[in-house]
Structures are given as structure tokens and as C-alpha cells.
Amino acid sequence: MGNIEELLRKRKELLEEIDKEIQKSYTRPVALMFTDIVASTEYFEKKGDIAGRQMIQTHNDILFPIVKDHGGKVIKTIGDSIMASFDNPLQSVTCAIKMQKALAAYNKGKAVDENIKVRIGIHFGQAVVDEKDLFGDVVNTSARVEAKAHAGEIIISSSLKKEIASADLPLVFLGSDYVKGKKQRIDFFLINWNNREQEEIARSWKERIHIKVIVEKAAAPKTKIAIKQNIDFKRKASLVKPLAKKGNPYLNRVMLPHPEMFYGRKGLVKRVLTRLTGQRPQSISLVGERRIGKSSLLNFLNFPTTRINLIEDPEQYIQLFIDFQQLRTIDESEFIAVIFKELVKQLGNNITIRITPNFDGMHLLCEKIAEAGFKFIMFFDEFESVTKNEKIGPEFYSFFRSLANNYPVAFVTASGRNLKDMCVTHEISDSPFFNIFAVQNVGLFKQDEAYALITESSAQNGIPLEPIRHEIVEQGGLYPFFLQILCSAWYEYLESEGLAAQDLADKKIPKEVVNMFREEAEPHFEYVLETFHKQEIEIFKTILSGKQPEPYSVYTEQLEKKGYIVCEEPDVYKPFSVQFELFLKRRLS
Amino acid sequence: MIEPDRPIVSADKFYGQRTTVRRVFSRIGADRPQSVAIIGGRKIGKTSLLNYIHNQEIQQQYLENRNDFIFIKINLKNEKYQNAESFLRSVYTQLTQNQNEDGNWYNLMQKFVEDCHNTGKKLILLLDDFHYITRNQNFPLEFFSFLRSLANNYNLAYVTTSYLELQKLCVAKDIEESPFFNIFTNLALGLLSCPDGVSLYMDLTDCSREQAENLVNWCGPLPYVLKIAAQKINTPGSFNDQVYEKILLPELSAYFEEIVSILPKDAFKPLKELAKDKEPSPREIHHLQPLIRQSFLVEDMDELKFYSPAFKNYILKNFSASLLKGTDSCF
């Protein structure tokens, strides 16, 4: 017998040796499957214990042989759950598919309350295996994976996915999430054995994630903000289907819903993104006339594919989009609540907010976003609805300015005129808040942008307008909205007449096209005319009489900036399009 | 039995308007459904057109994936909603068939539309006589902003009918200036083509083609007018314009009165002059735009003409300035 030190050393060696032996003889990698009968409690309650037990027996009779046939071993059953292990990872998945198919066959033709539906989760990892049971982290994780599944689903973890990577299986990436007891997120994959629609799967996955948004009413709430990851936009981008290339491509009159529908503005997009992606993002105010395309531009900038394609490090940015047209009467706390709500919508299960949506909460939110290394960009459409809102006071603007000054936070607003000119009080218009913005004018298309709109989508959809692009620009001008209406009328005319633009001997605009254009465009021309200042009307009258207006007058510059007159030669102005000029002649002559 | 005042319900009784129908469906069937405002004078056939669009067999003919669409039709003249909430509640209940739900109708409606959108469904609301909403002061600006927001963000479109452009039929300036109206493509519902008018008249009467053509030439291819004519003259015979005028013009005057009643006062002089074959100035012609849009006046070789001798004679003989009293607010 040696001294104590020696004994302890020997003990340690012995333990290590035993561990090695256990490791060698009893530890091995397994694919561990958990199944669970969905709504079994209700079944027992409704049909009684005997019928319930019978149902479990039927379930066992159907599933146990399938496990065995696939080289698996039922370790145990816990109530209505099965825990089964497989040495071959691929076999665990094929077994799960067979199990779901067998139950689907059993359920066919039966009343809904007689159906047996299970959820299945499988994880792969090291387990300590004895003759009758199995232990280790793999057991807990497998159970958590199973809990993520819905009735009829098979969900697997990323570690199992790695093992079966070469197999031809209908795998769908669902997303990442934390599970109880794990510090790292787990990627989840669905085995889409019953060919469900991708969109439906994505939606269903999103719905089952419980987002914790607890709006505290107490004065000093417990604060908790956790931003785990910012990758939801990638999933959203992957769901965007390519645009259907059929029919008249110029019919859209709402905010462009698809990035492929967005033409031009490359310079402006670049300028905006340069400001947003600097070390400290800079706020931008986009100002432009009604129907010039501000909302579509804002939506395009916020679109997930734009981030992926045009921003170097898209994960760095947390973005949200709010249209204030519908929120004209909200108060300050509602404003902040809208931001919180939209943030949760954008980040899905990647954010946990447990905070009061007030000024302090907003500060804290921006602080946490900054701490986590993100930049926070808020796109605000129709922002004049806010500046004109009497319920939003000057302190609110000071507060938002301080956010932009202290954190990597920027606002991109869209409005019909300069924000300062659209404030409900002078106190607000004098606020230094407006100084943080770089103003960018959203004006007419450049000629090449107009040509791209005219030629590309028409060619893709089968009736090219390229041969008449000059005529279209001349008649419709470079105002995107009116150009779109004219293209739509031309496209519809050629389609209904069975003509091709290149076959038109005379490229003169047909009466049918003019009528269609006028029918749609003139109410907008009327609106524009009503909103002109009387000095602006005089400028048009001057131009229509063959003379030229004062080039440096405020009103001339304003009209040019708004896009209603163009200056093709120095100091020679004309209405932006032939059709607008004809309208003005009819109205002002 | 001929009932000129009743809209056509059965699709096989609906005549012509193929171009308009095609244009409406091309917009509904666009990648993202687009909203359409059908504008037409009284009794021009707006409700009949909406009934036709609402017909499932017709939808099947024009839409590639009819099953992706959910259509509902609401006659706002009959329903007379008290406020925005009652309207949204009715739409929601029709869509969901759920009578028991209660809550914030804006939120419920938005949730439903979002769910439809996410499941690939496209929602089309056919809203007949929509001016009953735009003219109702209990429908605030937020309501129209809400409708716009739904159309901007989801697969949802509105097909409305009204007798003038909706902006001209708003109860308040802020609603009139609302960008809600920007989402619409206006389609003016005009006359039938002459062959369609002849076919309609022949179907309603025992008259010969020649007789039908003569009548259509005199009174124009307007379904309502042709139905009135068919009530009065429905057997073969030899008629001329004088006979038509004597028998039909008194019957048609009330309708023509309604047609011109939407015009501003400034339209009186140019319309009278036009009936006397004098050409009004371009500025004066502008006042006649509502009639031009609805094809009661047609531009032929840069010349403005009446769509029919019947209407011209009415203007010449029966039309008085007092009929335009009080219509300035429309413009």
C-alpha cells in the first residue's frame, strides 16, 4: 500500500482506464429517433382508457416492425412515445418515412378522430449504450428535435443531416433555433416525404416559433433584449419566386411587389446604399412627386434580395419598413410600439424583446443592437404623415435625432416634399432632427432607364416594344408612372390586334393607344394641375404660347425638379411629354 | 319580359363589352392582381358587367388558375353601410362565413388577407356603386389608406363601379387627394359595338336585321335604350327617324336627363352649340369630357359628334341649363 498521493494517482489512472473501456465498449455514435403521438391525451379523454391503450397498441403494431426492418432498436416506450436507435443514420430516416407512410395508409378512410398521427425527430451523436438503455446528450437533443415537429412531420438535426448528405432525400432547411439546455443554435431540416409546398412549410415553421414579446406596463420593467442572429431575410429571399414572364408586364399600379419589376434608379440606389453602409449609417430623406416611385424604391432597398446582392455584409443590417399612410393619427408611444412590432416581424424567432416600448425602451433597443454589432435601418414611407401629425411633439424628433447620433441607426424616409416644409408646427420644422438627413431627389428616369423599362420587360413577355421606344419616350416622357401607363396601352393594343411593333410602317401612336392612355393618365394630370401654384400655371402658359419662362425663377426650377418640365437645351423648357403638353393645351388654352 | 331597369344576372344575356371584360380580367389575372375602377353613366350596364365578371364560368374562361382566386361582390347601393367597421365586418363575414367573430375589424380583415396571401390565394372584391362609400362621411381617410395598404402588400384587388371618377365623388378633400385612388386603372364603360346592339335588339324583338340596324343607327347601341325601344317597337314594320323620334324620344328623355346631369354648368353652351353643328373651343370641350369618356360624344376625324341622332335631338330640343344646376361640386 503506498502513500495517499500514490493511491490518488492510481485511482485517477484507474478511472481513466475505466472511462476508456466504457468509451471503447459502450459508447458509439447513434441516430436516435423519438416519436410522439399527436393529440393522444384528447384521444384518451374522449374515447376512454381502454380505447386509448388499444390505439397505442395499434400504433406499436404498425411501427415496431418497421423499426426492426430498418436495423433499428426500440429502446423503450414512454407513454405514447417511442425511443429507437439506429446504427445506420440513413436507415433511421428511411425508417421514419416508412413509418409516416404506414400511418397515412392506416388513417386513409378513417374518421379524423380515429387517425393516429405522430411527429418524429431524429438527432445523431455519441451515446452511452448498455444492453437495455441509452444515455447521453444525444437523448435530450433528440427529444428537443422531436418537439419541434408537427403531426405527420419528420424533423432532423444538422448533425444527422451531415451523415446523410450524400443520400437523395427530400430535405428542406427550416431554420435555426435554440433548444432548451443548449448554448448553440441547431439547424433543423424537414424530411419532406409528402411533397408539401415550400412556402407552406416555411410559414408553418415560422408559426410554431414562439416569439416572446412581453410589453411590460410597470414603470421599471425587467429588460431583456436578445438578438440571436439576423438571417431571416435570407430565408425570405429564398422564397421569392422568379417573376412570371407572361401577359402585359406594365399593369402594376401598386408599390412594386417584386425586385425584378424595379427598373432604373441605379445611381440613386448606389448613393443611398453608400450612405447606409458607411461605418456609421447616414439618414436619407427621399423626396419626390406623387407616383414618381418613392414607395417602390424604398421597398426595393428593403427587399431581402437587394440586401444580398448589393450590400457586402447583409447580416450586419437589421432593417424594417413602415408605411405611415395608414398611421396618420398614432401617438408617440404607438409609434415606438409599431417599430417594436415590425422588428419582431422582421427578425422572427431571432429576437426576444422583453421591454416597454417607450423612449427608454427604444434607447435600450438601439443600444443592444449596437452592442451586438448590428446596424439598424428604418425605412419610413409617407413620412409626412408623421411630421403633420399633431400628436407627435418636438421632443420626439429630438429623441430620434439622439438615436441616430448615438447609435448605428439611420432612417430612410420618403415624402412628397422636403420634410421641413411639411411639419405641423414651426417648432417641429426648426428641429435639428431634420439636419441629420441627406436629401435625395427622386425625379424622372434617365433615358437609358426608360429604354430599359420599355424594352426589357416587353421582350421578356413576348411583345417587344423596342422598335417604338423613342416614340414611347417622346409621347409618355421619362416620368416612370406615365411611361408605364403608355407602355401598358401599347402592349395591350399590339396584343389585341395581333401586331408586332416592328411591323408598324407608321410608328405614329394609334388612336386606341392614345385613348387608353388618356383614360388612365388624365385623372392624374388633372390632380397635378390642381396642385400647381398659380405661378407654375403661368410658366406652362408661357411655354405653350411659344415663349420661354425665366430660367432661374424658383418656380421654373421647382417644376423641373418635380419633373413636369424638362430642359433639353440650355434655358429651353418644355412639358415632360407630348401627351402632357396636349393635355395642358386642352386645359389652359 | 323586358326589364330595362334590372341589371343582367345571367351571363348568356350579357352582350358585348368584350374589350372591357378582357381588360378587367387581364388586370385581375396579373402577377399581383390590380385594381380597376369601372366608370360609366347611369344605366350603361356597370352592375351587369360586374355580375358578368362575378360569374364563375366566365372567370374560368379568362383566368388561368381560377381556383387561386376568391371573389366577393357587394352592392353598396343596397347595403348602405353605416361606417367603415360595418363594411369591413360584412366583407370579413362574407369571406370567412364566420358570423360569430368580433373584434377590431381592421385587424381581423388584415389577418385574413395576409393568410390568403401566404397561401397563394388572390382576393378580388367587386364593389358596385363604390361612390356610396367615398361619399359617406363615416368612412375616414384611414379606411382608404387601409384599403390601399392591403392592395400594396397582399394579393388583393378591388374592382369598383361608379358613375364618375372616384376622386370626383369624395366627401372630403383629404380623401380625394388620398393615394388610394392611385392604385386604380380607370376603365370607361361605353356603348356596345353596333353589331352587338343589333343582336341585342333582334333577340328582344321579332324585328328584322334591317329594322334593327335602322333603330340602332338612330338611338345608338346602348343596352338600356335598346330595351326601352324594344318595349315600344317589337314587331316587324317600316319605321323612319321621325317615327322613332315621336315614339321613343319622350321615353328616352328622362334617361338622357340623367346622363347630362353629371355635367358642370359650363358644359351647357358647348353642348348646345355642338347640337347646332358648331365646333366648341378646346377649353369648352374639356367640360364635355365626362360625355366623351362614356362615348356619348365621340371624336371622329378630330371632330366631336353625338353618339346618336336621338341624343343630339334631345340636346337640341329638350336640354335646358336648369338640368345642370348644382352639379359644380363634381368638378
Side-chain angles (χ1 to χ4, degrees), chain A residues 492 496 516, chain B residues 16-24 62 187:
Chain A
E492 198 156 323
S496 64
M516 275 190 263
Chain B
Q17 305 293 10
R18 281 174 289 273
T19 306
T20 308
V21 169
R22 190 171 43 76
R23 292 180 74 191
V24 171
Y62 284 92
L187 294 183

Side-chain angles (χ1 to χ4, degrees), chain A residues 185-203:
Chain A
R185 294 159 66 91
I186 294 178
D187 285 345
F188 293 96
F189 296 83
L190 179 90
I191 305 290
N192 190 15
W193 64 277
N194 47 355
N195 293 322
R196 286 161 62 197
E197 290 287 325
Q198 292 271 343
E199 280 179 27
E200 190 266 318
I201 293 169
R203 196 178 54 256

Side-chain angles (χ1 to χ4, degrees), chain A residues 435-448:
Chain A
N435 298 341
I436 66 171
F437 289 93
V439 177
Q440 291 287 323
N441 187 46
V442 186
L444 299 180
F445 266 179
K446 292 192 175 67
Q447 196 168 59
D448 60 331

Side-chain angles (χ1 to χ4, degrees), chain A residues 203 243 246 251-255 257 290-291 325-326 328 492 511 518-520 523 526 587, chain B residues 23 26-27 31-32 34 64 118 141 145 149 152 177 182 185-188 283 286 289 299:
Chain A
R203 196 178 54 256
L243 200 59
K246 58 177 183 177
L251 294 177
N252 190 73
R253 300 290 179 268
V254 294
M255 180 175 76
R290 185 156 146 147
R291 304 265 39 174
Q325 170 68 27
Q326 206 193 315
R328 298 156 60 93
E492 198 156 323
K511 195 178 155 190
R518 282 181 60 184
E519 196 174 304
E520 194 173 346
E526 287 284 355
R587 295 290 277 112
Chain B
R23 292 180 74 191
S26 72
R27 279 149 182 85
D31 211 33
R32 169 69 64 95
Q34 297 295 310
E64 228 171 69
N118 290 338
L141 178 59
S145 303
S149 165
N152 256 339
E177 291 176 351
N182 291 346
T185 296
N186 287 346
L187 294 183
R283 195 185 171 89
H286 173 74
Q289 276 302 327
E299 287 168 303

Side-chain angles (χ1 to χ4, degrees), chain B residues 150-167:
Chain B
L150 291 185
N152 256 339
N153 293 300
Y154 308 109
N155 282 326
L156 171 140
Y158 314 98
V159 180
T160 64
T161 70
S162 56
Y163 65 91
L164 273 178
E165 283 95 339
L166 290 169
Q167 291 97 317

Side-chain angles (χ1 to χ4, degrees), chain A residues 243-253 261 453-454 457-463 465 483-496 516 520, chain B residues 22-23 25-32 34 185 187:
Chain A
L243 200 59
K245 306 281 191 281
K246 58 177 183 177
N248 187 338
Y250 303 106
L251 294 177
N252 190 73
R253 300 290 179 268
M261 290 168 109
L453 171 70
I454 297 165
S457 31
S458 63
Q460 283 163 0
N461 288 32
I463 301 180
L465 298 179
L483 195 60
Q484 171 109 343
I485 293 177
L486 188 56
C487 286
S488 172
W490 263 109
Y491 197 97
E492 198 156 323
Y493 169 73
L494 293 172
E495 193 177 35
S496 64
M516 275 190 263
E520 194 173 346
Chain B
R22 190 171 43 76
R23 292 180 74 191
F25 275 112
S26 72
R27 279 149 182 85
I28 292 173
D31 211 33
R32 169 69 64 95
Q34 297 295 310
T185 296
L187 294 183

